[in-house]
Amino acid sequence: MFTGIIQAVGEIGGIEWRSGDARLWVKTGKLDLSDVQLGDSIAVNGVCLTAVQLRPDGFFADVSRETLSLTTLQQLKPQSRVNLEKALTLNTRLGGHLVSGHVDGVGRVIERRDDARSERFTIEAPAALARYIAHKGSITVDGTSLTVNGVEGARFHLNIVPHTLQETIMAGYAPGSEVNLEVDLIARYLERLVLGDAAAAAEPPSALTEALLARAGFICP
């Protein structure tokens, strides 16, 4: 688990392609690796990866074919900048929100514009994720915990302050940039809970409806 508070911006030192999957060498910059051991989890652009080899300036991680197909990691090249966060501990400040490191889909930056000292971003999520994105709710973009400032269908708006631009890779975003998205963990489990017995069906409902909520007891007759 992670908090979505980026601890360092690193860069890809190299990529070794291996029969359809890959091994990444991640140079970790200012990230403190003194307490990291083999097998520990580190989020790279919001993707939870396992450190399989350590070196003083970074670590190596294997990336499966599935992870490559479902995230933007397949687009990385040597010198690509990446957001980094070590897994949280029981005494970690939860400054963001609970983040699993399991990417739900890839979004696309639609617009970027100045807003006083901040910058406003509009990002389009895959249609299937739109129902999990709420005004003033939390969302993870490339591993960064952010607050949704507005929602229009599958598009949502973010207000990014100068500190976040400086401490993450968001300063490099431009219209067309693709980003890893993880929706709020609670929203995913809540939907499953509301489905009730229907969750066990071979083909559970694809969306919450008024009839389904009534059967589950959330709407009084």
Side-chain angles (χ1 to χ4, degrees), residues 7-131:
Q7 297 170 325
V9 172
E11 69 174 41
I12 300 302
I15 305 174
E16 181 182 349
W17 298 99
R18 298 183 171 188
S19 303
D21 59 22
R23 173 165 288 193
L24 294 182
W25 168 29
V26 183
K27 299 169 71 174
T28 51
K30 68 177 183 180
L31 188 70
D32 180 13
L33 297 179
S34 63
D35 59 347
V36 175
Q37 300 180 6
L38 286 179
D40 281 356
S41 297
I42 299 177
V44 178
N45 280 358
V47 182
C48 177
L49 298 180
T50 300
V52 298
Q53 183 180 340
L54 296 171
R55 46 187 294 172
D57 61 346
F59 68 97
F60 290 83
D62 290 324
V63 185
S64 70
R65 181 179 300 180
E66 179 176 6
T67 299
L68 289 170
S69 67
L70 296 177
T71 71
T72 64
L73 296 191
Q74 62 182 311
Q75 302 174 12
L76 295 178
K77 302 175 182 178
Q79 298 185 334
S80 291
R81 300 173 77 242
V82 290
N83 289 328
L84 300 175
E85 182 190 355
K86 296 184 292 187
L88 65 82
T89 64
L90 292 179
N91 65 350
T92 300
R93 290 181 182 272
L94 190 57
H97 70 285
L98 289 175
V99 175
S100 69
H102 302 156
V103 171
D104 292 302
V106 174
R108 182 168 55 94
V109 177
I110 301 299
E111 182 184 34
R112 173 179 179 171
R113 61 181 174 83
D114 294 337
D115 186 358
R117 293 188 304 113
S118 299
E119 295 203 34
R120 301 277 293 191
F121 289 84
T122 299
I123 296 177
E124 185 171 57
L129 298 184
R131 63 181 181 268

Side-chain angles (χ1 to χ4, degrees), residues 5 35 122 134 144 155 177 182 207 216:
I5 303 299
D35 59 347
T122 299
T144 306
R155 295 184 177 186
S177 296
E182 181 183 332

Side-chain angles (χ1 to χ4, degrees), residues 189-199 205 207-221:
Y189 281 110
L190 179 61
E191 180 187 49
R192 193 73 174 169
L193 179 64
V194 170
L195 287 174
D197 294 339
L208 296 179
T209 63
E210 185 174 347
L212 179 61
L213 290 172
R215 289 198 301 271
F218 288 90
I219 298 178
C220 297

